[in-house]
Amino acid sequence: VSTQSTGDDEPTAFTCFRNLMARMNMNFPHGGQMDAHFANMRSLIQILDSELFEHMHQNGDYSHFYFSYRWFLLDFKRELEYEDVFLVWEGIWAAYHTTSNHFTHFIALALVEHYRDIILDNNMDFTDIIKFFNEMAERHDGKKILGSARQLVHRLQTLIDS
């Protein structure tokens, strides 16, 4: 059920909210999921963009991906405009049933990849990248990020298949 289509249907809205909270519960400190998110991000970027990974590792080693904590904690809610949040959430929920229950990692990687040239050209370190993404909050193009995330999933599937 689309989050945008729940309208005044309280039982459906409650069910959507309950399912969201059940999925998000592990992201909070007692759940221990954050370390897994960061490890998956490290692996993905090493495989799909080793040049950017090396840059992150050499410039203050922010390959731990702590700058993406808020992304995973809130499922990108603070990163996107209100309308785009629903598109991304629906993409995550749909991917869970069709492609991967790790689609959030591909969205996070798509955010980083979208600004790859800016990160490299400005030789950003950990402080720079935190500041950059904080200033970019609610200014990302959700549709482009989703499209990039889908392409990254396809790239990884292609690598695995070959």
Side-chain angles (χ1 to χ4, degrees), residues 34-49:
M34 277 301 163
D35 290 334
H37 287 314
F38 300 147
N40 287 333
M41 286 295 296
R42 270 191 302 279
S43 297
L44 276 177
I45 202 160
Q46 274 183 294
I47 293 166
L48 297 173
D49 194 341

Side-chain angles (χ1 to χ4, degrees), residues 25-142:
N25 186 41
M26 297 305 289
N27 286 343
F28 289 88
H30 64 274
Q33 188 64 35
M34 277 301 163
D35 290 334
H37 287 314
F38 300 147
N40 287 333
M41 286 295 296
R42 270 191 302 279
S43 297
L44 276 177
I45 202 160
Q46 274 183 294
I47 293 166
L48 297 173
D49 194 341
S50 59
E51 179 185 4
L52 185 57
F53 177 80
E54 283 304 314
H55 170 82
M56 293 175 148
H57 190 67
Q58 292 173 359
N59 283 19
D61 192 10
Y62 55 98
S63 60
H64 46 66
F65 283 91
Y66 293 156
F67 64 88
S68 63
Y69 180 87
R70 180 178 73 196
W71 302 353
F72 293 115
L73 183 66
L74 302 174
D75 255 359
F76 309 96
K77 183 185 182 309
R78 296 261 170 97
E79 309 318 308
L80 304 165
E81 291 182 4
Y82 186 74
E83 295 79 23
D84 287 346
V85 169
F86 293 108
L87 292 174
V88 168
W89 285 0
E90 289 172 3
I92 291 168
W93 297 335
Y96 187 82
H97 297 287
T98 59
T99 331
S100 170
N101 60 350
H102 297 286
F103 193 58
T104 54
H105 301 117
F106 292 94
I107 294 170
L109 184 56
L111 270 170
V112 174
E113 288 289 314
H114 188 74
Y115 301 103
R116 177 187 197 280
D117 293 339
I118 294 170
I119 294 167
L120 292 174
D121 293 347
N122 290 291
N123 204 26
M124 289 185 177
D125 63 12
F126 181 62
T127 305
D128 296 330
I129 201 159
I130 286 179
K131 183 177 183 233
F132 176 77
F133 280 111
N134 279 338
E135 290 172 357
M136 290 299 296
E138 296 184 359
R139 295 172 57 195
H140 308 288
D141 184 333

